[in-house]
Amino acid sequence: MTILEAAEQAGRLHLAGSVEELLALATPDAALGLGEVRPDGYYTVGYDVKGEFVPEAEVCRTKNGIAANYLDPYMRRRDPDCMLVGDGAATDKPTFETRFGESFDGLREETLDWLKHQPIACFFFRTGLPDNPLNAVAIAPANAGFFALGLAMLQGIVPLDEVRKAGADYHHGAIVYVAPPFRHTHFDGKQVVVHNRRFEDNIDLHELFSYNLYPGPSAKKGVYGMLLTLGERDEQPWTTAHCSTVVVVTPYENQTVIMHEGASGGGKSEMLEQMHRQADGTLLLGENLVTGDARKLTLPRGCDLLPVTDDMALCHPALQKHEGPVKKLSLIDAENAWFVRVNHIHQYGVDPALEGITVAPEGPLLFLNIDAKPGSTALIWEHTLDEPGKPCPNPRVVVPREYVPNVVKKPVEVDIRSFGVRCPPCTAEHPTYGIMGLFHVLPPSLAWLWRLVAPRGHGNPSIVDQGGMQSEGVGSFWPFATGRKVDQANILLDQVMSTSSTQFVLIPNQHIGCWKVGFAPQWIAREYLARRGASPFRPGDLSPARCPLLGFHKETLQVEGQTIGKWFMDVSQQPEVGEQAYDTGATILTEFFHSQLREFLVDDLRPLGKQIIEACLDDASADQYAAIEG
């Protein structure tokens, strides 16, 4: 309140109750006292840092929305080490005090004091279950209108009349503070986001301090962390899954709901896309990196796709159905808009559906890292260059759900729950963990292990790459959680083992052995699994994978009368790989799993969870995993 009162008294408070008001702040009129748009049509967002103006981003108005480009290429992706916890409650995350050697209280006060002297943009938003939301407030420098716009689009904005009507009965349980120059004055230019959980003394407030202007770590994943904390504290704990969800309607009008999880870059947005076809209408299954051969499939008609979620799904207990023998997970979208990565759309015609939505949207969009000119139409295949000849790997567009055709607004029951992994190429000369076939079927116990480890995988375009195989951890949402790993592991274990009627599969992308495949495996798996329906595979349909962590696989696959051979189902059968290189890759994968899973063997882990992890450490077979039941 002191921040808002100071801004109001100085005539610097911009209280917004609609997206349109924040749109006006993104490229403000000179009369607002926030600087002005230059004659060339650009507005520079920047701050005084020790007496020197430091520009952060250039923003312009386009025909289809707002385009913002960060001047520092480092700011165009999420730093995986940006999140810290500022309070003293239980956590497995790095704390502010551990990293910087002092309590967060001092910087908190310094941040609030800085905000008291700034023009302020403030608005109210909600997140969580529509009938029982978490109310929140955002406070940001008014010249960072594009950032506030992104947050409001992603989470929704509450009209001011509604807040005023509630009066003293209105309570917010979360707040986002934005203070960009502290990135330079306190953090050596690095992205830092601090969660400060103030649940003691009946304060009941989750504070988020964002010290950067890239929405990914704060407006997007920071609010995600608030939801995870909310679920963790509930009387009946629940989680928000890191996934896309789609209702797949086959040419025969059968419907199958597929939920696709994975670390950043694991193919969540791509699961909602139609197959990217070649000029002749075929689907390129893959290109052999050794021989140069190509394999294509002819699918005259793909399935229709009804999107449900793009990245975050509420799996609240109120949504779950507990009657009858069929136990499936139910979910609903946790977002008001989608933060869509478009690095794979490198030219016109790659994804006509998304291109159509973004070129002529029903309302304004927010484009990040897109090379757009003032007054032009921002095109999602025109990516900002990080350096000459090197496009930014993380161009984004924020698309409100209401603009997406055929979007599903009600809760759905999940038939198939897949997990995506970015895989490097694997050959006899250069063995790697890229040994996954086109898709693998996992028993629930093994599916839980994959979600505990959540490999980030090869060539991630969404974050600052650390190289090698990394673990995103616990459901692939651990980078955004604020508490303890074991608590989230238990929540996830209960969820997975109590929804055993949902079928679990594992799908690689980028490479299958020596074949470069992009996202073709998940598009083909989606088409095949939807056509066969959600019924369990019959005995004899599947074979145990040579690497037990990969569960089971088909020997061959038929899609619309075309056979996909065993090379794509069992990588050890590829002549360019062979059993020896496969086994080396299996060892890499197994040792990685063992190293990640040992840290979960703590007293608070459920006994069933300990049983599953110990089975993995004892090199259990796929059949042994299948025998473990909740």
Side-chain angles (χ1 to χ4, degrees):
M1 286 302 299
T2 58
I3 295 171
L4 301 184
E5 289 168 353
E8 187 174 36
Q9 290 172 5
R12 294 185 274 102
L13 178 61
H14 303 270
L15 201 57
S18 68
V19 166
E20 288 70 25
E21 292 172 87
L22 293 173
L23 192 73
L25 280 181
T27 52
D29 186 274
L32 294 177
L34 303 174
E36 56 186 308
V37 177
R38 301 196 307 259
D40 61 2
Y42 290 100
Y43 176 67
T44 301
V45 179
Y47 301 91
D48 179 79
V49 178
K50 298 179 181 178
E52 180 181 351
F53 180 78
V54 176
E56 291 278 356
E58 286 199 334
V59 184
C60 69
R61 193 75 174 261
T62 67
K63 291 179 181 177
N64 46 349
I66 294 291
N69 275 293
Y70 301 93
L71 301 178
D72 181 356
Y74 162 76
M75 284 301 301
R76 297 170 187 165
R77 290 189 282 178
R78 175 171 59 88
D79 189 324
D81 297 324
C82 67
M83 179 183 162
L84 297 171
V85 172
D87 57 77
T91 184
D92 289 332
K93 281 299 179 63
T95 65
F96 185 90
E97 188 167 4
T98 299
R99 183 173 294 185
F100 296 105
E102 60 185 18
S103 167
F104 178 62
D105 293 344
L107 182 63
R108 179 182 181 275
E109 291 303 317
E110 190 177 343
T111 305
L112 300 181
D113 185 64
W114 180 82
L115 286 166
K116 289 175 189 177
H117 296 86
Q118 306 302 313
I120 292 295
C122 174
F123 64 92
F124 300 85
F125 66 95
R126 294 192 182 109
T127 189
L129 201 65
D131 296 336
N132 186 23
L134 174 66
N135 292 324
V137 182
I139 294 179
N143 70 337
F146 81 93
F147 178 94
L149 173 66
L151 174 55
M153 292 173 72
L154 286 165
Q155 307 301 336
I157 187 168
V158 180
L160 293 177
D161 289 345
E162 188 176 326
V163 179
R164 293 187 179 109
K165 184 178 180 180
D169 293 331
Y170 183 87
H171 171 75
H172 60 270
I175 187 163
V176 177
Y177 296 103
V178 184
F182 284 64
R183 177 169 80 93
H184 303 287
T185 57
H186 292 71
F187 304 124
D188 196 29
K190 298 297 184 183
Q191 299 173 25
V192 171
V193 173
V194 181
H195 287 260
N196 195 44
R197 301 165 295 175
R198 302 177 65 199
F199 302 138
E200 75 289 346
D201 302 326
N202 297 318
I203 296 175
D204 201 27
L205 183 65
H206 190 144
E207 296 179 331
L208 176 76
F209 289 81
S210 177
Y211 295 110
N212 70 92
L213 282 179
Y214 179 51
S218 44
K220 172 76 172 172
K221 303 307 186 186
V223 175
Y224 196 170
M226 292 176 171
L227 280 176
L228 292 170
T229 303
L230 183 69
E232 189 178 299
R233 298 177 65 222
D234 204 326
E235 184 177 343
Q236 185 179 352
W238 51 276
T239 195
T240 300
H242 193 202
C243 69
S244 63
T245 313
V246 62
V247 179
V248 186
V249 184
T250 72
Y252 318 109
E253 300 179 355
N254 296 322
Q255 293 191 4
T256 302
V257 177
I258 299 179
M259 168 187 180
H260 185 70
E261 298 168 274
S264 299
K268 292 182 291 296
S269 293
E270 287 77 8
M271 185 58 83
L272 304 181
E273 297 178 4
Q274 286 291 349
M275 298 173 287
H276 294 185
R277 296 180 181 269
Q278 302 294 292
D280 60 2
T282 61
L283 172 65
L284 179 64
L285 172 56
E287 296 177 309
N288 191 304
L289 297 176
V290 177
T291 67
D293 291 344
R295 292 287 186 275
K296 296 182 179 182
L297 289 179
T298 301
L299 292 177
R301 180 182 171 186
C303 294
D304 291 331
L305 306 176
L306 311 181
V308 183
T309 77
D310 176 71
D311 188 69
M312 294 161 53
L314 282 167
C315 304
H316 196 279
L319 304 174
Q320 310 310 317
K321 299 177 181 179
H322 302 288
E323 299 177 358
V326 177
K327 305 294 184 183
K328 294 183 179 180
L329 180 67
S330 295
L331 55 81
I332 193 172
D333 199 358
E335 299 182 283
N336 193 62
W338 296 344
F339 196 51
V340 183
R341 189 182 68 251
V342 293
N343 65 305
H344 59 293
I345 301 178
H346 50 82
Q347 63 184 22
Y348 169 75
V350 172
D351 188 344
L354 184 58
E355 291 163 20
I357 293 172
T358 56
V359 167
E362 296 179 24
L365 307 178
L366 175 62
F367 299 88
L368 299 172
N369 309 325
I370 296 293
D371 185 14
K373 303 296 185 289
S376 70
T377 298
L379 304 173
I380 56 177
W381 57 88
E382 296 284 354
H383 306 155
T384 296
L385 297 180
D386 276 1
E387 57 186 65
K390 184 179 179 181
C392 170
N394 192 38
R396 297 275 183 167
V397 57
V398 180
V399 181
R401 291 185 89 250
E402 61 190 272
Y403 299 173
V404 180
N406 302 316
V407 70
V408 177
K409 300 178 181 179
K410 61 183 181 180
V412 297
E413 275 193 343
V414 176
D415 298 306
I416 296 168
R417 190 169 175 178
S418 59
F419 194 90
V421 182
R422 298 182 72 88
C423 287
C426 176
T427 63
E429 291 76 19
H430 301 285
T432 70
Y433 60 90
I435 59 171
M436 299 172 204
L438 194 138
F439 75 86
H440 294 267
V441 178
L442 305 178
S445 60
L446 189 52
W448 177 67
L449 291 185
W450 273 94
R451 283 155 181 79
L452 283 195
V453 175
R456 188 176 288 150
H458 168 76
N460 193 300
S462 302
I463 63 172
V464 178
D465 195 4
Q466 297 172 318
M469 197 176 192
Q470 302 290 323
S471 172
E472 196 121 299
V474 195
S476 76
F477 52 67
W478 176 245
F480 329 126
T482 61
R484 301 189 307 162
K485 280 188 174 183
V486 66
D487 295 328
Q488 291 293 342
N490 283 332
I491 294 171
L492 202 57
L493 177 65
D494 293 343
Q495 182 196 77
V496 168
M497 301 306 288
S498 65
T499 56
S500 55
S501 298
T502 292
Q503 190 172 101
F504 296 91
V505 299
L506 177 70
I507 305 176
N509 64 65
Q510 305 313 309
H511 298 90
I512 294 177
C514 69
W515 291 81
K516 183 179 179 180
V517 294
F519 290 99
Q522 70 184 55
W523 293 327
I524 294 168
R526 181 185 67 195
E527 296 289 321
Y528 170 78
L529 292 169
R531 281 167 166 80
R532 78 173 297 277
S535 58
F537 285 91
R538 296 169 299 182
D541 279 354
L542 301 172
S543 301
R546 186 178 178 91
C547 173
L549 287 175
L550 302 183
F552 301 87
H553 63 75
K554 293 276 290 180
E555 288 293 325
T556 59
L557 197 68
Q558 277 209 349
V559 184
E560 296 293 275
Q562 297 166 91
T563 300
I564 298 176
K566 61 175 58 181
W567 286 357
F568 287 98
M569 312 307 294
D570 180 0
V571 169
S572 71
Q573 300 297 311
Q574 294 181 12
E576 300 86 356
V577 179
E579 294 182 353
Q580 184 176 348
Y582 179 101
D583 291 344
T584 300
T587 299
I588 295 171
L589 191 63
T590 301
E591 290 179 349
F592 183 73
F593 263 65
H594 288 184
S595 68
Q596 297 297 320
L597 292 174
R598 286 191 181 97
E599 64 183 80
F600 288 95
L601 290 175
V602 296
D603 291 342
D604 289 341
L605 183 67
R606 301 259 198 277
L608 178 60
K610 291 181 181 179
Q611 178 188 351
I612 296 170
I613 291 176
E614 287 168 354
C616 178
L617 297 177
D618 291 337
D619 297 322
S621 68
D623 289 322
Q624 288 173 319
Y625 284 118
I628 300 175
E629 298 181 356

